[in-house]
Every structure is written in structure tokens, then in C-alpha cells.
Amino acid sequence: MKTIHLEDIQAMDPDYRRTLVNKISGFKSAHLIGTKSASNVANVAIFNSVIHLGAQPPLLGFIMRPLTVQRHTYTNCMELGYFTLNAIGRSFHQKAHQTSAKYTEAVSEFEAVGLEAEYLADFPAPFVKESPLKMGLSFVEEHEIKANQTRLVVGQLEMLHVDMQFVKADGDIDLQAMDIISIGGLDSYYKMEKLGRYHYARPDQEVRSIV
């Protein structure tokens, strides 16, 4: 193995460094974030930074890159106050990847990449119809990360749309059966394989499987 120090990383070719540093954090969830502009254009963009922040109240967040250029997802989220998170299935992951292209504000990524916008239960922001796991959130707060000017955008879960055949009696969701994929870095997609599910770990007990 090779040890790579900060000064080595800073001296790397920018494209090489971006690829490397984005990949070292491992597999991450892949979501399409749906928003709508003030001019009523439905926007959808892929994110690999969605995180769980708490269950009561139910909070989720995502990282927004610095606002040095126009960020349609951010602008729409701030103006509308709502956004959606849509898990990405294997069958449409290439279309999801295409949403990372820099389309103009007047262009709906839904139409540009061939995904279908869906509005559920009068929720203001569009969902991705193809997604097997859809979440509607209201904007709660944002926090600037001063080290690099990125922002943590926090939302509260207002509605969840899921086929209950994939939800177990204790609330566990079978993501593998839903054919949801994960992402590594900015451009690599992976199918998931469940290795096990285990009871709450305690110091005086061995690891016990949940059947």
C-alpha cells in the first residue's frame, strides 16, 4: 500500500484529484432531487450526498456545492420551500446520470432525459414517476460549511410514497428487492447485495442475525 499525504493530493492533476477524493468515501445513496422553478419548470438533478439527520422529527439533508455558479436545485428549493428525494432504480440509472448535464433554467431535465414528472397528493414539487421510493420534504434550514462554501440543506419528511410489499412489519425496507442502486464517486453505479441484518449491538452479546 502507498501512503498519500495532503501535499501529494494538492499537487495532483485536478481531474484525477476530483475523481479520487470523490471515490474514497465509498458507496453512497443515489437520489434524484425534484424541484419546480418560479416559472413552473420542473427540475430534476442527481445527488450522491443525501444523509439521514434524525427520525423525530424525520429530517434528511443533502450537500449543495458552492453557489459560485447558478444552482437550479438550490434556487428552486429556496423559492418553493419544497423538494423531493427519489431513489434511483437500476432500470433508469443512465437517465438519472444524464441529469447532471448543465441544462439551462428554461429546460426541464425530466423532458430532456426522458423521465416522467409526477405530482402526488397536491405536493408542490415533482416526483420521479419511475422511482420505487419517493419522499416529499419541506425546507427547514441550511448551514454553510465555511471550509469550502458548500451548504447542508435540511428538509423535513412530509410524505413517503412506497409499495408496502417492500416494507416489513418492523419498518425495515427491502432496498435490494426494490432494485435500488448506489453510487461511487461521480460516475460509477452499483447494484446492492444484502449481506445481513443484525440486532442492536451490546457489549456483552455476540452479533445476532435478524431473520
Side-chain angles (χ1 to χ4, degrees):
M1 295 182 69
K2 179 180 179 180
T3 300
I4 303 173
H5 296 282
L6 174 60
E7 56 267 28
D8 302 317
I9 296 172
Q10 292 175 327
M12 290 174 177
D13 171 81
D15 290 337
Y16 182 95
R17 181 176 59 241
R18 181 177 62 248
T19 300
L20 178 71
V21 176
N22 267 282
K23 204 64 167 285
I24 58 177
S25 58
F27 301 122
K28 298 180 284 290
S29 62
H31 289 85
L32 287 166
I33 296 184
T35 58
K36 189 168 64 173
S37 71
S39 55
N40 214 35
V41 176
N43 171 277
V44 66
I46 189 168
F47 280 76
N48 67 357
S49 60
V50 172
I51 55 174
H52 162 84
L53 295 173
Q56 182 58 3
L59 299 176
L60 294 162
F62 66 93
I63 299 295
M64 174 62 62
R65 288 182 293 172
L67 304 179
T68 51
V69 298
Q70 200 172 36
R71 306 286 185 198
H72 301 150
T73 297
Y74 176 81
T75 300
N76 295 348
C77 184
M78 295 302 108
E79 292 180 348
L80 187 65
Y82 295 92
F83 61 97
T84 69
L85 295 176
N86 305 268
I88 298 174
R90 186 179 351 186
S91 64
F92 61 94
H93 77 276
Q94 291 180 323
K95 293 179 179 180
H97 179 76
Q98 183 60 27
T99 66
S100 63
K102 293 179 172 60
Y103 295 100
T104 65
E105 185 178 7
V107 174
S108 169
E109 289 85 354
F110 282 100
E111 296 178 7
V113 307
L115 293 170
E116 186 173 350
E118 180 179 39
Y119 292 89
L120 300 171
D122 296 323
F123 195 77
F127 295 88
V128 177
K129 186 173 184 178
E130 292 85 347
S131 175
L133 181 58
K134 308 175 179 70
M135 294 157 275
L137 297 97
S138 59
F139 170 75
V140 175
E141 57 189 281
E142 63 173 315
H143 300 271
E144 182 181 4
I145 299 172
K146 293 182 171 54
N148 64 355
Q149 288 77 56
T150 56
R151 294 166 186 261
L152 170 62
V153 178
V154 180
Q156 177 171 282
L157 184 66
E158 300 291 345
M159 63 176 292
L160 176 66
H161 189 70
V162 60
D163 189 334
M164 291 305 293
Q165 70 171 310
F166 298 114
V167 183
K168 297 184 178 180
D170 64 355
D172 185 48
I173 299 179
D174 192 341
L175 300 176
Q176 181 176 334
M178 298 171 80
D179 213 17
I180 290 173
I181 54 93
S182 62
I183 188 170
L186 300 172
D187 54 16
S188 302
Y189 298 84
Y190 302 84
K191 62 180 181 180
M192 294 188 294
E193 178 183 355
K194 183 177 179 180
L195 300 179
R197 185 180 178 215
Y198 308 102
H199 285 280
Y200 186 84
R202 300 184 185 279
D204 57 345
Q205 294 180 357
E206 294 184 357
V207 175
R208 296 175 300 134
S209 295
I210 298 176
V211 179

